[in-house]
Amino acid sequence: MSTNNSAQIKISVASFTSEKSITRYVIAVECSNQKKWEILKRYSEVEDIHNRLQELFNDLPQFPKKQLFHLNRSEIEFRMQQLDDYLNQLLSRREILNSAILRDFLILDQYDEFLHPVQVQCRILNMSLKDIHENDNITLLLLYDSSMMARIDTYINNILESKKQSPISTLICFSQNDFKQKIFSKEYLKALTCMSFNNTENAFAVGLSSGLVYYYRLDEKYAIDMEEQFQLAQSKISGCVLIQREIYAITNNLLKIQNTKKIQEQQEIPIGSQELTNIIYNSTRNLVVIANNVGEIYLCQVPFVKIGLKVSTQSTQIIQLLIDNERNYLMALNHDPSHIIIFDFAKGLQNGYAQIKTNIEIKNKSLCFEWSKKRGEIFIGNEDGTISIWHVQDLQPFYVFKAHSKKVNKIIWNENKSFLLTGSDDESLKQWYLPKKWRIGQADNFSTF
């Protein structure tokens, strides 16, 4: 797939018209398909586009300053050149060119149609959305009160008013693709911090700020069939995975392993000396991957015997990990400064190293990401509520859209159905359909990266 659109559009501010002290600039637009047209815009209309783009993009080019008095001809011609430079700088950034804001301004879709993501569902919740699990049958949501002051008030009220206690966190399970049909919900007086679902066992575990881990098994209709709790630590559970009836949970610099069948069977294993931040399990490789707050990654075979490989990313806090089994990629998201490191670890466990394939530097502060191996695209959720889409062949963003009014905490990508699930602190869950191709007449968005 080629997403290089900057060479396909040419813009020039070549002339102007003045009528009754109102100046309009003639913007000539030309597509590579030989179609040409002109639009007439006032300075204030271009300024309005700049202000709208500022809400979506960082590091915009400087906009020509406003003059207090009426411009003479030479000043108008100078402003023409300024606007021409400004608009062409916008064109040099694909993600801005592909935005609905600029395309509407230039009337591009009338001559060169670009297909945008479409919001197909939205569910308004009563708490912020922290985590999502989605499979063919259910969508499981982890909700929490994102306001620190509200959480403190709730804690105090729960202590003082024993008869009426308010939840700090909630779990809600909906039937798949139907956010209206609720299967079950669970409320918690402590903050939920993480969640792990095991599709094979039809069971899941959740970790709490108090060091508790709840283990649930579901029946054939996905109602809760069994509930158990384990006090694995006295501090926050930072992450957990559920593997063959065993809970692998991280807290501080420790990995805790709890057998859900044999309650007395518990292990505690130090993993380095720094606070652990993320843990994932890959069933294909039978591999646990753990990250910490100084950019170190540990790879461990299951059942856990010892650390098989330690990788230093030369970064700071790693907040998310992903594995692509087909391409042998291990992906790690660093929070601040935000960047995604992609490792090629095809032979990493055998020879004790993992080769860095690429490093994607992100200008936004990012909190989560997903990867489409078919499209070769990375979807990144940011603190400003935007989602940016990157193509890994050229390591550049080519589309950014405002998905939420507050930070995006979780993204789930469904490869077969081409949709994104996004969850945010704005207390909403949204589903977005992504086109199989971004422009009319283009090949499907598949990649060989």
Side-chain angles (χ1 to χ4, degrees), residues 200-245:
T200 304
E201 299 176 17
N202 206 26
F204 68 96
V206 293
L208 282 78
S209 59
S210 61
L212 267 174
V213 174
Y214 282 88
Y215 168 74
Y216 299 99
R217 196 166 61 228
L218 306 182
D219 61 22
E220 66 279 359
K221 295 182 179 179
Y222 294 93
I224 293 176
D225 184 46
M226 189 195 74
E227 174 183 325
E228 292 187 54
Q229 68 179 55
F230 304 94
Q231 187 72 52
L232 297 188
Q234 299 303 315
S235 56
K236 179 182 75 171
I237 302 296
S238 300
C240 65
V241 291
L242 188 56
I243 309 169
Q244 300 167 358
R245 297 292 181 92

Side-chain angles (χ1 to χ4, degrees), residues 248-439:
Y248 283 54
I250 53 174
T251 177
N252 296 323
N253 72 319
L254 300 173
L255 171 64
K256 302 269 191 167
I257 304 176
Q258 173 68 58
N259 191 308
T260 59
K261 291 182 179 178
K262 302 174 183 178
I263 297 177
Q264 303 303 319
E265 194 173 305
Q266 186 182 114
Q267 299 180 64
E268 180 179 291
I269 305 163
I271 306 292
S273 59
Q274 302 296 322
E275 182 179 352
L276 305 177
T277 56
N278 194 255
I279 180 171
I280 61 171
Y281 172 64
N282 185 270
S283 58
T284 302
R285 297 174 181 270
N286 204 27
L287 187 70
V288 167
V289 185
I290 301 171
N292 65 18
N293 64 353
V294 294
E296 295 172 337
I297 300 175
Y298 299 87
L299 289 84
C300 319
Q301 293 291 164
V302 175
F304 187 93
V305 178
K306 63 178 182 178
I307 296 170
L309 175 65
K310 175 185 172 182
V311 178
S312 177
T313 64
Q314 305 299 319
S315 62
T316 54
Q317 184 181 21
I318 294 173
I319 58 175
Q320 188 182 346
L321 298 162
L322 282 179
I323 290 179
D324 182 335
N325 290 309
E326 293 182 14
R327 292 170 172 78
N328 293 307
Y329 294 162
L330 169 62
M331 302 180 175
L333 170 64
N334 185 77
H335 174 53
D336 189 13
S338 292
H339 57 102
I340 295 174
I341 302 171
I342 302 178
F343 293 94
D344 188 341
F345 68 135
K347 300 179 180 178
L349 291 178
Q350 286 72 40
N351 57 27
Y353 81 98
Q355 180 182 352
I356 294 180
K357 182 175 180 64
T358 191
N359 188 352
I360 302 173
E361 296 184 3
I362 308 166
K363 293 181 179 180
N364 302 68
K365 285 188 178 180
S366 304
L367 297 171
C368 55
F369 75 106
E370 269 281 28
W371 158 247
S372 170
K373 57 188 176 185
K374 287 184 179 179
R375 301 163 67 104
E377 294 170 358
I378 297 178
F379 315 111
I380 303 173
N382 303 308
E383 280 193 352
D384 60 4
T386 61
I387 291 176
S388 52
I389 303 176
W390 292 60
H391 199 270
V392 292
Q393 284 185 337
D394 52 20
L395 305 181
Q396 294 292 326
F398 69 88
Y399 194 84
V400 178
F401 66 101
K402 189 77 170 178
H404 295 274
S405 60
K406 295 183 179 181
K407 63 181 182 178
V408 180
N409 294 317
K410 187 69 176 183
I411 296 176
I412 295 290
W413 168 246
N414 189 308
E415 194 82 82
N416 295 325
K417 298 179 181 178
S418 294
F419 69 70
L420 282 174
L421 283 179
T422 61
S424 167
D425 268 9
D426 67 4
E427 302 185 356
S428 70
L429 168 69
K430 296 182 180 180
Q431 185 183 84
W432 307 85
Y433 172 75
L434 269 59
K436 291 184 178 180
K437 51 189 177 183
W438 290 107
R439 24 175 35 95

Side-chain angles (χ1 to χ4, degrees), residues 158-176:
N158 288 345
I159 293 171
L160 298 177
E161 302 178 25
S162 57
K163 291 183 180 179
K164 185 180 179 181
Q165 296 186 319
S166 302
I168 299 292
S169 302
T170 305
L171 270 178
I172 303 179
C173 183
F174 293 102
S175 63
Q176 174 62 312

